[in-house]
Amino acid sequence: MQAWDVIVIGAGAAGLMCAAEAGKRGRRVLVLDHGKRIGRKILMSGGGRCNFTNYHVEPGAYLCANPHFVKSALARYTQWDFIALVDKHRIAYHEKTLGQLFCDDSAQNIVDLLVAECESAGVTIRLRSEVLNVERLGEGFGVATAGEQYSCQSLVVATGGLSMPKIGASPLGYRLAEQFGLKVLPTRAGLVPFTLQPEDKQTLESLSGVSLPVVVESEDGTRFAENLLFTHRGVSGPAVLQISSYWQPGERVCFELLPAGSLAGAVAESPNQELKTWLARHLPRRLIEALLTRGDLNSKPLKQYTPKELAAVEHTLAAWPLQPGGTEGYRTAEVTLGGVDTDELSSKTMAAKKVPHLYFIGEVMDVTGWLGGYNFQWAWSSGWVAGQVV
Ligand code: FDA
């Protein structure tokens, strides 16, 4: 049996950050991953350019049953710390929108950064090593892969969530938490496109490819100003991905296609113009046609609308309701909501409160960020704080 100080399960964003930090402290660290490549999610993130953090990271951008949990780690290892690391490795980056930072060149730059940090800290990374079993061994743990048996003093679970099973997502982290008596909150897909009810699919399918800026609102009043994209399967785009994390089956979401009050003045200005002609100045024509076909709007010369009818049109455009049929699920979701209950973990170190030397970091726990670099920042911050103590 090979003995290590620290074993990290998962060579993703959180696991590699934690391993590098622990290695710098002189700990002998082994990282195990069942994949063929290091950091597969990093490589496919941000359209291949990795949206690695966000200028505006703050605790309010995270969903967690205990919203205070994220504060300590985010304050101790901030977006500015990760940006400094990116600068140290001379990686060129740019702000795309809303504080989102992307590599100029390729997400491979971020994987190379993490590998270089691990190498200089003496960390060993073993790929194609699926962890099959973990058991308590004295004060530490025994870890079994298909071909090897290892022991370690500290065990870090950085196995991520369930999204994208094709690139290595597995439920091992949740299984280990339950094995050691930790509560796991129900999981579901987040940052994921919506599918449509059959009747909406019929009237909205023709809009595939149409994109427009909207403000989307969930039933709990959460709002995002982002782009809506109609697809052949349903609706997507950043507005939908963001609100999907706040949506429960059976609920509606509302899209502000035009702000309330937009029609004021239109009647006086162009009384003979049909509503649809006036709207075409502000909205894609295909969307207007679909709204007319669905009966969400009717079109006639503006001067023929009564004040009550105009108010109804304004209301439809300011809060166009849609009840999704569901989501595309883990197949396309960027993240997994729920996971290891943060009440079971120390917010300062990510250690399991009732199992000495066991740690959970990154997406495996019940912490989910907004779209826009927030999830990687959680991986960096939670991985870094654990790396100081494992
Ligand atoms: P991650 O999932 O990165 O790593 C877990 C590792 O554990 C994997 O390498 C896996 O192979 C390994 N593993 C699992 N089970 C195992 C087992 N039994 N044995 C051994 N190894 C095992 N976020 C963001 O902030 N900006 C962005 O641009 C994007 N873009 C993006 C695009 C796409 C397509 C997806 C799917 C996701 C994103 N995200 C994102 C989210 C982000 O990728 C995610 O939150 C982090 O990768 C989570 O990091 P972790 O290290 O926790 O898990």
Side-chain angles (χ1 to χ4, degrees):
M1 180 169 320
Q2 300 178 32
W4 295 82
D5 293 338
V6 181
I7 291 182
V8 178
I9 309 177
L16 294 171
M17 172 59 90
C18 176
E21 287 302 311
K24 284 182 206 165
R25 291 174 34 244
R27 303 285 278 162
R28 288 175 310 112
V29 184
L30 172 67
V31 182
L32 296 172
D33 198 295
H34 61 180
K36 282 184 248 165
R37 293 186 74 179
I38 293 172
R40 279 176 296 177
K41 266 197 196 155
I42 301 173
L43 290 172
M44 68 186 302
S45 68
R49 293 229 161 99
C50 185
N51 177 194
F52 55 80
T53 193
N54 192 297
Y55 280 141
H56 310 306
V57 168
E58 44 104 12
Y62 292 86
L63 292 92
C64 176
N66 172 5
H68 301 292
F69 181 83
V70 297
K71 289 181 180 169
S72 174
L74 290 177
R76 286 179 61 209
Y77 191 82
T78 68
Q79 64 271 43
W80 310 112
D81 292 315
F82 194 75
I83 293 167
L85 187 60
V86 167
D87 287 337
K88 178 183 140 190
H89 286 262
R90 299 176 190 280
I91 297 171
Y93 62 89
H94 60 278
E95 178 185 357
K96 201 165 170 190
T97 172
L98 302 170
Q100 302 167 4
L101 301 189
F102 288 75
C103 298
D104 284 357
D105 182 17
S106 156
Q108 183 69 50
N109 295 157
I110 300 296
V111 173
D112 292 346
L113 171 160
L114 293 165
V115 170
E117 290 288 311
C118 282
E119 272 174 5
S120 72
V123 171
T124 302
I125 301 174
R126 286 200 187 139
L127 299 175
R128 294 186 170 88
S129 298
E130 183 178 11
V131 172
L132 300 173
N133 197 30
V134 171
E135 59 185 10
R136 215 32 166 156
L137 211 61
E139 291 286 286
F141 299 89
V143 176
T145 63
E148 299 280 353
Q149 298 276 347
Y150 304 96
S151 70
C152 60
Q153 295 164 4
S154 294
L155 180 68
V156 182
V157 181
T159 45
L162 295 171
S163 51
M164 304 251 166
K166 275 195 181 148
I167 58 159
S170 92
L172 177 75
Y174 309 124
R175 186 160 68 71
L176 292 179
E178 283 169 348
Q179 178 188 334
F180 288 100
L182 311 192
K183 190 170 169 202
V184 177
L185 299 178
T187 56
R188 63 190 171 90
L191 299 181
V192 62
F194 285 140
T195 56
L196 299 175
Q197 311 268 7
E199 57 274 23
D200 287 327
K201 197 162 180 353
Q202 250 178 9
T203 53
L204 298 177
E205 213 166 28
S206 62
L207 293 181
S208 181
V210 169
S211 166
L212 70 157
V214 297
V215 179
V216 64
E217 183 169 351
S218 60
E219 285 195 9
D220 71 0
T222 306
R223 287 163 71 86
F224 291 97
E226 292 263 24
N227 262 34
L228 161 67
L229 170 70
F230 292 88
T231 70
H232 63 283
R233 282 196 223 104
V235 285
S236 185
V240 166
L241 300 187
Q242 294 281 36
I243 214 69
S244 70
S245 298
Y246 292 84
W247 177 83
Q248 298 290 342
E251 290 183 355
R252 291 189 327 179
V253 292
C254 285
F255 296 96
E256 183 189 276
L257 305 173
L258 277 185
S262 300
L263 273 170
V267 184
E269 212 179 87
S270 328
N272 296 318
Q273 201 162 53
E274 282 229 7
L275 176 70
K276 67 177 178 186
T277 315
W278 183 85
L279 281 178
R281 292 193 224 160
H282 305 275
L283 295 173
R285 274 182 197 280
R286 278 158 70 195
L287 174 60
I288 300 166
E289 287 306 326
L291 294 174
L292 293 170
T293 309
R294 287 163 58 86
D296 293 342
L297 295 177
N298 64 355
S299 185
K300 55 186 177 182
L302 287 169
K303 66 182 178 196
Q304 291 179 13
Y305 284 85
T306 64
K308 199 172 157 198
E309 284 173 331
L310 267 188
V313 170
E314 287 232 307
H315 179 74
T316 301
L317 295 170
W320 181 60
L322 192 70
Q323 186 173 347
T327 73
E328 288 187 6
Y330 293 121
R331 189 177 58 82
T332 57
E334 285 202 9
V335 288
T336 302
L337 293 148
V340 179
D341 190 346
T342 57
D343 281 352
E344 303 278 11
L345 308 173
S346 155
S347 62
K348 301 216 162 33
T349 62
M350 307 297 138
K353 288 177 186 165
K354 54 192 180 208
V355 187
H357 312 302
L358 178 63
Y359 299 79
F360 289 84
I361 57 173
E363 201 184 313
V364 69
M365 71 175 81
D366 170 38
V367 172
T368 305
W370 288 350
L371 186 79
Y374 296 93
N375 285 295
F376 278 133
Q377 185 59 44
W378 178 247
W380 315 135
S381 296
S382 59
W384 188 91
V385 296
Q388 309 311 308
V389 293
V390 291

